[in-house]
């Protein structure tokens, strides 16, 4: 693999200046065990810029009130900020309408919503659902639950030794019983960028709707749901430099309109009597109860921040780090990279022949380096590669080449100690 130089791309504002960006993330200035923090666990959750932290503080300091139901000033201000955030998200993914943007707690809840609501209403015994061999448990277990309830069959698109989906005979996956596909866009364990357009187009030839799990995508690649023509898309705010506890389900209006509510409660109704209820229009039909208002607004602030730097510039920077790290890691004795797809972003996973990932992670922690070790909520994928776990370093807009060097030096010491 040739290594790109770390030439900065021009951002929306000025030249990509990683040191300037780092100053916007107060947590990065910390020391851990007496060493400067090197945060390489971004695929688990990204750190938050001051703008996002300020948004949360500002909301509770001057705006807090419940949305939609009040006529008083604070409620109107809060409702406007909440709905403005929805518009920002609509624009960020280029949805046709903000009514297609539903606030959830995260990717997991968004996928559960579709599996439960669409699954219960439209899938019947014997129907088939297509998933891939690299799904996060969040895009596998909800489908297993509905499959058990409805006697559905789950079919898995296999993964090859490089960590790419085997799509050559994709057509053969479809039968007249295939009724849904739920597909990982970017693998959290391998970093593979899947050819989701091919899967969507093939699925649509068979009138099969497609849900994309974009949890690891929105922070690295620009998403245009209209161009992709996906039917549903799920992501979490916290991987996009926003808060935890807030996420998005995008769905095509016609599909969302046809689906029954997922949860019942306040805000999702039109009229309620003791015997029955009618439901609110989109998106509120799927937002029962008080929403996570402050964090929805802060997700809007995160999107503003990301747009200001520019996703293209961020992706370029991260790809340079990924290529540099890949080349350096391959020089280490006994190390094997898991996931060598041609198209990757964000993540590098590796194993040592004789050192357990948990030992690697614990050792690195003492050096101030945060990486993730384990199965990354993809146990079947680990099984596919015949390993229990990997060590995973994952990059964000604020990581530096120097941090990659610190990681490599830390790993050299790991090898020395454990061999
Ligand atoms: N899907 C993928 C690919 C992920 O990486 C993750 C989290 O790591 C999820 C789904 C679940 O996201 P959350 O826990 O924010 O709901």
């Amino acid at each position: 693999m040739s290594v790109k130089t770390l030439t900065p791309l021009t951002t929306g504002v000025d030249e990509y200046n990683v040191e300037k960006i780092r100053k916007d993330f107060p947590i990065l200035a910390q020391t851990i065990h007496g060493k400067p923090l090197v945060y390489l666990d971004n695929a688990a959750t990204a750190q938050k810029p001051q703008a996002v932290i300020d948004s949360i503080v500002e909301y509770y300091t001057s705006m807090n009130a419940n949305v939609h139901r009040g006529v008083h000033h604070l409620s109107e201000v809060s409702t406007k900020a909440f709905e403005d955030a929805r518009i920002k998200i609509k624009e960020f993914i280029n949805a046709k309408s903000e009514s297609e943007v539903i606030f959830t707690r995260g990717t997991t809840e968004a996928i559960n919503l579709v599996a439960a609501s669409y699954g219960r209403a439209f899938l019947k015994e014997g129907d088939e659902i297509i998933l891939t061999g690299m799904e996060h448990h969040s895009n596998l277990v909800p489908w297993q639950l509905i499959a058990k309830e409805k006697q559905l069959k789950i079919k898995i698109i296999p993964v090859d030794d490089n960590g790419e989906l085997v799509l050559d005979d994709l057509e053969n996956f479809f039968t007249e019983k295939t009724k849904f596909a739920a597909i990982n866009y970017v693998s959290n364990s391998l970093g593979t960028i899947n050819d989701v357009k091919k899967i969507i187009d093939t699925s649509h030839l068979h009138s099969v709707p497609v849900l994309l799990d974009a949890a690891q995508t929105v922070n690295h690649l620009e998403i245009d749901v209209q161009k992709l023509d996906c039917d549903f898309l799920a992501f979490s705010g916290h991987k996009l430099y926003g808060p935890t506890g807030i996420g998005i389900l995008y769905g095509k209006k016609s599909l969302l309109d046809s689906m029954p509510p997922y949860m019942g409660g306040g805000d999702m109704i039109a009229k309620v009597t003791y015997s029955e209820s009618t439901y609110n229009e989109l998106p509120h039909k799927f937002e029962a109860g008080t929403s996570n208002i402050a964090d929805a607004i802060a997700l809007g602030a995160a999107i503003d921040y990301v747009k200001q730097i520019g996703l293209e510039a961020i992706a370029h920077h991260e790809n340079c780090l990924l290529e540099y790290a890949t080349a350096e890691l391959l020089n280490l004795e006994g190390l094997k990279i898991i996931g060598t797809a041609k198209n990757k972003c964000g993540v590098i996973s590796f194993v040592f022949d004789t050192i357990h990932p948990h030992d690697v992670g614990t050792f690195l922690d003492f050096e101030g380096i945060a990486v993730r070790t384990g199965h990354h909520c993809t146990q079947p994928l680990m099984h596919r590669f015949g390993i229990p776990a990997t060590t995973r370093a994952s990059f964000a807009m604020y990581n530096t080449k120097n941090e990659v060097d610190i990681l490599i030096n830390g790993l050299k010491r790991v090898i020395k100690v454990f061999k």
Side-chain angles (χ1 to χ4, degrees):
M1 184 187 275
S2 68
V3 182
K4 277 186 213 154
T5 50
L6 282 165
T7 333
L9 253 197
T10 307
T11 73
V13 195
D14 47 20
E15 214 172 59
Y16 198 93
N17 183 339
V18 71
E19 290 308 327
K20 185 162 168 250
I21 290 171
R22 288 179 72 80
K23 292 208 172 75
D24 291 336
F25 291 80
I27 204 170
L28 298 178
Q30 271 188 74
T31 53
I32 304 285
H33 305 303
K35 307 268 172 60
L37 167 65
V38 174
Y39 187 77
L40 296 173
D41 194 17
N42 297 288
T45 197
Q47 299 301 349
K48 320 305 170 200
Q50 191 64 47
V52 168
I53 300 165
D54 287 348
S55 167
I56 296 169
V57 173
E58 191 194 340
Y59 177 77
Y60 287 118
T61 309
S62 64
M63 263 189 242
N64 179 46
N66 213 329
V67 292
H68 300 146
R69 293 181 281 261
V71 290
H72 61 81
H73 176 77
L74 281 184
S75 179
E76 280 174 7
V77 170
S78 183
T79 301
K80 172 140 185 12
F82 181 65
E83 292 303 330
D84 282 353
R86 198 190 303 276
I87 292 169
K88 284 180 192 173
I89 291 147
K90 172 219 153 199
E91 284 165 2
F92 186 63
I93 60 172
N94 195 29
K96 260 191 199 141
S97 151
E98 55 267 29
S99 64
E100 297 177 316
V101 174
I102 294 158
F103 285 115
T104 64
R105 283 194 299 135
T107 310
T108 303
E109 189 176 67
I111 295 171
N112 274 277
L113 188 164
V114 177
S117 169
Y118 188 94
R120 289 210 184 99
F122 299 117
L123 302 180
K124 54 178 194 321
E125 187 174 342
D127 283 351
E128 295 170 357
I129 303 171
I130 296 179
L131 310 179
T132 79
M134 59 176 84
E135 297 310 327
H136 188 281
H137 297 162
S138 292
N139 197 30
L140 173 57
V141 182
W143 299 107
Q144 289 174 335
L145 289 171
I146 193 72
K148 199 164 184 190
E149 188 179 316
K150 294 274 207 147
Q151 303 301 306
L152 314 172
K153 184 174 169 192
I154 292 177
K155 284 176 155 178
I156 304 286
I157 301 175
V159 176
D160 71 13
D161 290 344
N162 293 324
E164 293 183 346
L165 291 179
V166 181
L167 296 177
D168 302 342
D169 59 350
L170 181 61
E171 194 50 54
N172 294 333
F173 267 83
F174 292 84
T175 70
E176 73 283 2
K177 289 185 173 169
T178 312
K179 293 290 152 57
F180 204 88
I183 306 293
N184 176 284
Y185 196 153
V186 172
S187 163
N188 62 306
S189 299
L190 309 173
T192 310
I193 304 172
N194 289 317
D195 186 354
V196 292
K197 188 64 186 142
K198 177 171 178 169
I199 300 175
I200 292 166
D201 290 348
T202 310
S203 300
H204 286 176
L205 288 178
H206 297 268
S207 305
V208 170
V210 181
L211 175 145
L212 291 184
D213 173 353
Q216 298 292 343
T217 318
V218 281
N219 47 334
H220 301 299
L221 306 176
E222 276 175 19
I223 288 193
D224 181 331
V225 289
Q226 293 190 64
K227 255 197 210 147
L228 279 169
D229 199 22
C230 56
D231 300 278
F232 299 98
L233 180 123
F235 68 91
S236 302
H238 67 99
K239 303 198 198 264
L240 184 59
Y241 310 99
T244 52
I246 191 77
I248 297 298
L249 172 67
Y250 156 82
K252 283 183 182 163
K253 188 170 182 307
S254 56
L255 285 166
L256 292 172
D257 269 333
S258 71
M259 288 158 54
Y262 173 51
M263 288 201 290
D267 226 21
M268 54 72 73
I269 48 85
K271 190 155 188 271
V272 179
T273 68
Y274 281 120
S275 52
E276 61 173 354
S277 305
T278 55
Y279 309 122
N280 203 343
E281 55 197 25
L282 291 173
H284 313 295
K285 181 171 92 173
F286 291 107
E287 291 179 356
T290 299
S291 294
N292 186 351
I293 307 161
D295 293 324
I297 296 167
L299 175 55
I303 287 176
D304 286 343
Y305 183 82
V306 166
K307 277 184 157 175
Q308 188 193 324
I309 310 287
L311 250 186
E312 198 193 340
I314 294 170
H316 175 78
H317 176 76
E318 291 168 345
N319 285 343
C320 292
L321 293 177
L322 186 63
E323 291 194 11
Y324 178 64
T326 303
E328 291 294 309
L329 284 171
L330 286 173
N331 291 329
L332 298 182
E333 189 192 336
L335 183 144
K336 184 176 174 206
I337 291 175
I338 305 294
T340 49
K342 279 191 290 301
N343 256 341
K344 278 181 72 168
C345 68
V347 164
I348 185 156
S349 255
F350 55 88
V351 291
F352 283 103
D353 48 6
T354 56
I355 314 168
H356 195 280
H358 290 323
D359 291 332
V360 177
T362 308
F363 188 96
L364 292 179
D365 177 53
F366 281 110
E367 309 262 318
I369 305 165
V371 291
R372 186 140 296 240
T373 59
H375 52 63
H376 316 298
C377 294
T378 53
Q379 281 183 14
L381 183 64
M382 295 294 117
H383 191 247
R384 152 71 185 81
F385 281 96
I387 49 176
T390 74
T391 302
R392 180 185 74 185
S394 50
F395 301 109
M397 64 162 91
Y398 40 70
N399 289 122
T400 65
K401 185 167 173 276
N402 182 45
E403 289 182 312
V404 175
D405 291 335
I406 294 171
L407 170 70
I408 300 296
N409 286 332
L411 289 170
K412 283 182 182 159
R413 282 192 286 278
V414 168
I415 296 169
K416 221 175 182 176
V417 169
F418 284 92
K419 285 261 163 166

